[in-house]
Amino acid sequence: MTTEPLSRARIVTAAIDLIEREGADAVSMRRIAAELGVGVMSLYNHVPNKDALLNGVAEAVLSEIEFTDDPDADWTDRVRTQARAFRQIAHHYPRCTMLVVSRQLSSAAGLLPVERALATLRSAGFDGPDAVRVVRLFIAFIVGSLLREVGVTPTFAPVHHRHLAGAEAVDPALFPEVSALAPLLGACDHDAEFEFGVELLIQAITVLHAREEGAR
């Protein structure tokens, strides 16, 4: 058993490990105390309650996002880089990422990614409402991609990915397109799919932005 002193960081790390193993529903102050081999009341000297602990988990995950986009680059390149950075951390902490997007964080760690994304769009000329919509759109796309890639159930527990059955299991008379495209439906290059989605979103947003700029 570790002799490392109990601290907020150690408690949060234990919660992250537990969530990635068993999902967010497994987290309780009593369970975290058992994981650390300490009395449950000792946790409250560092974390006031479970809600604060879950906020700490979300903040810790977000703080590991590495922002490498060039502030002087075109906004489309910056958006690509930021989307990839969020996807990378989501891959590392798939279950915790589901927790991240469900929390309303007001700390610096929680607000920095949102601030960076909004600043990128605002500097490109997007007005406030459109900037917020675009950020929400990308978050929804990235989370949706994560659900497909790691197979996260409604309780945030990864499951084995199940491919669509082969063409021989589909009645071509009833489902001609599904039958014909079964090999494609049953295979997925997640990296290529993600890049395709990002490019599609950027192109659509670029067209919308140009149209609105022309109307002003």
Side-chain angles (χ1 to χ4, degrees):
M1 184 177 297
T2 181
T3 58
E4 181 183 350
L6 191 62
S7 64
R8 183 179 186 276
R10 191 174 159 216
I11 294 168
V12 168
T13 297
I16 290 173
D17 292 343
L18 179 59
I19 291 170
E20 290 303 321
R21 293 198 317 270
E22 301 181 22
D25 289 345
V27 175
S28 69
M29 299 299 274
R30 188 174 300 279
R31 179 65 188 278
I32 295 299
E35 291 283 317
L36 293 170
V38 300
V40 65
M41 295 308 296
S42 64
L43 299 183
Y44 292 99
N45 294 321
H46 307 277
V47 181
N49 50 50
K50 178 182 174 180
D51 190 62
L53 174 57
L54 294 179
N55 281 344
V57 167
E59 291 162 1
V61 169
L62 287 173
S63 70
E64 291 193 28
I65 296 178
E66 295 184 6
F67 295 108
T68 59
D69 55 303
D70 181 359
D72 296 323
D74 186 77
W75 73 268
T76 58
D77 291 328
R78 296 191 66 191
V79 166
R80 290 185 187 95
T81 301
Q82 291 169 14
R84 290 165 185 157
F86 189 81
R87 179 182 181 236
Q88 183 177 35
I89 206 69
H91 267 245
H92 195 59
Y93 300 107
R95 294 178 175 179
C96 287
T97 297
M98 297 298 104
L99 177 67
V100 166
V101 299
S102 71
R103 312 295 292 182
Q104 292 291 332
L105 303 175
S106 58
S107 66
L111 293 176
L112 180 59
V114 178
E115 172 67 23
R116 199 172 184 103
L118 289 174
T120 297
L121 296 167
R122 295 287 280 152
S123 66
F126 289 82
D127 63 20
D130 280 350
V132 170
R133 292 189 188 104
V134 170
V135 170
R136 287 174 175 165
L137 179 65
F138 269 93
I139 291 174
F141 167 70
I142 295 169
V143 171
S145 296
L146 178 68
L147 291 172
R148 181 189 61 208
E149 290 185 45
V150 303
V152 179
T153 69
T155 55
F156 310 145
V159 297
H160 295 295
H161 184 67
R162 289 181 285 274
H163 294 300
L164 184 71
E168 68 280 0
V170 179
D171 186 341
L174 293 175
F175 310 105
E177 296 301 331
V178 173
S179 177
L181 300 176
L184 294 175
L185 291 170
C188 184
D189 181 334
H190 294 303
D191 291 337
E193 294 285 334
F194 181 82
E195 293 298 328
F196 175 81
V198 168
E199 289 306 312
L200 194 63
L201 288 176
I202 287 176
Q203 289 180 32
I205 293 165
T206 300
V207 171
L208 175 65
H209 185 46
R211 185 181 302 164
E212 292 187 349
E213 285 290 300
R216 291 173 184 169

